Amino acid sequence: MSERTAPPARPEQRRAGWFITGTDTEIGKTFVACTLLHALRRSGLSALAMKPVAAGFDEHGRNDDVERLLAASSVQAPRALVNPYGFAAAIAPHIAAAEEGRSIELPQIVASFEQLQALADVVLVEGVGGFCVPLGSTCDTADLAAALQLPLILVVGMRLGCINHALLTAQAIAARGLALAGWVANRIDPAMSRFAENRAALQARIAAPLLGVVEYGTTPEQAAALLQLPDRAL
């Protein structure tokens, strides 16, 4: 009688996550990331967010974006994992890193992300600036998204000129062979003329679903009720 062999072990299931990018800086990536965290909590999932690279810290060693993500997360994680690279000056990260004599290493960020995956059902990763912001002489945030192998959510700051910025960013994401899971229209300019027409133009041209519109003056908790979560690839 032949000896039976055990079936091969199943590979560990990859947990869900998204990379939050934007059409520019100061267009609400952190706000939308916090909104997604609240939406995930409403759906019964544990979630946390990391800001791998942040620039601009106060005298107490705090960065506004990092603090807001920590507060909105349903799972608390070590700050060193949530923000592996923090720079004092509120300037472009590759310049800040050079001035401090440091370098941003993608493998360290990936390792931090993998540790965070063990703590929650979903891990969001917020980029810095726009999609192609340099992180050093040989890499940028697009390379970071590729290294993490995460689908992206694009935050579009709805203001004059956003159509061009959004379409160029969507094209850059596709050119890198990355998946765009959806986009969010963030009304950063409440007086924007022809908002509905601009939104329709983007919906017709971006090959990914509109996840929702974030109205000016709302809180992440309020916006979460109106935001659709992308499909999760577990």
Side-chain angles (χ1 to χ4, degrees):
M1 185 175 178
S2 62
E3 183 178 353
R4 296 182 62 184
T5 59
R10 295 179 62 185
E12 184 178 352
Q13 200 172 40
R14 186 176 180 84
R15 292 172 181 258
W18 295 289
F19 190 96
I20 314 301
T21 192
T23 50
D24 201 348
T25 191
E26 300 298 329
I27 48 78
K29 293 189 305 297
T30 303
F31 186 97
V32 171
C34 291
T35 298
L36 286 166
L37 288 169
H38 286 289
L40 288 162
R41 183 181 299 181
R42 289 168 61 94
S43 69
L45 296 169
S46 61
L48 59 83
M50 70 179 300
K51 178 88 173 179
V53 181
F57 283 73
D58 63 21
E59 64 275 15
H60 304 294
R62 295 288 188 263
N63 171 271
D64 286 344
D65 291 348
V66 173
E67 296 306 311
R68 290 163 63 191
L69 293 174
L70 285 168
S73 295
S74 59
V75 176
Q76 294 305 301
R79 287 177 181 271
L81 297 180
V82 171
N83 175 227
Y85 292 98
F87 303 100
I91 55 179
H94 71 292
I95 299 174
E99 289 186 354
E100 293 188 17
R102 301 164 61 192
S103 62
I104 298 171
E105 304 292 341
L106 299 190
Q108 180 174 337
I109 295 175
V110 173
S112 295
F113 171 74
E114 290 174 347
Q115 292 182 66
L116 291 174
Q117 281 189 306
L119 302 180
D121 296 318
V122 182
V123 178
L124 305 180
V125 181
E126 183 192 332
V128 56
F131 180 61
C132 295
V133 167
L135 299 178
S137 60
T138 61
C139 67
D140 57 24
T141 53
D143 294 315
L144 173 57
L148 292 169
Q149 299 180 0
L150 291 174
L152 288 98
I153 294 175
L154 173 61
V155 181
V156 180
M158 299 301 292
R159 61 188 177 197
L160 185 63
C162 68
I163 293 178
N164 181 63
H165 293 159
L167 297 182
L168 286 175
T169 304
Q171 290 174 13
I173 292 170
R176 294 289 185 119
L178 301 174
L180 182 58
W183 64 283
V184 176
N186 187 21
R187 299 198 67 175
I188 59 175
D189 178 8
M192 179 185 186
S193 180
R194 306 296 189 273
F195 165 77
E197 291 87 342
N198 279 267
R199 179 188 59 193
L202 289 170
Q203 284 184 275
R205 291 166 174 82
I206 296 179
L210 171 62
L211 303 176
V213 175
V214 175
E215 296 292 342
Y216 184 83
T218 58
T219 66
E221 294 88 343
Q222 293 168 336
L226 303 175
L227 199 66
Q228 171 191 346
L229 292 172
D231 293 333
R232 295 191 303 134
L234 288 173

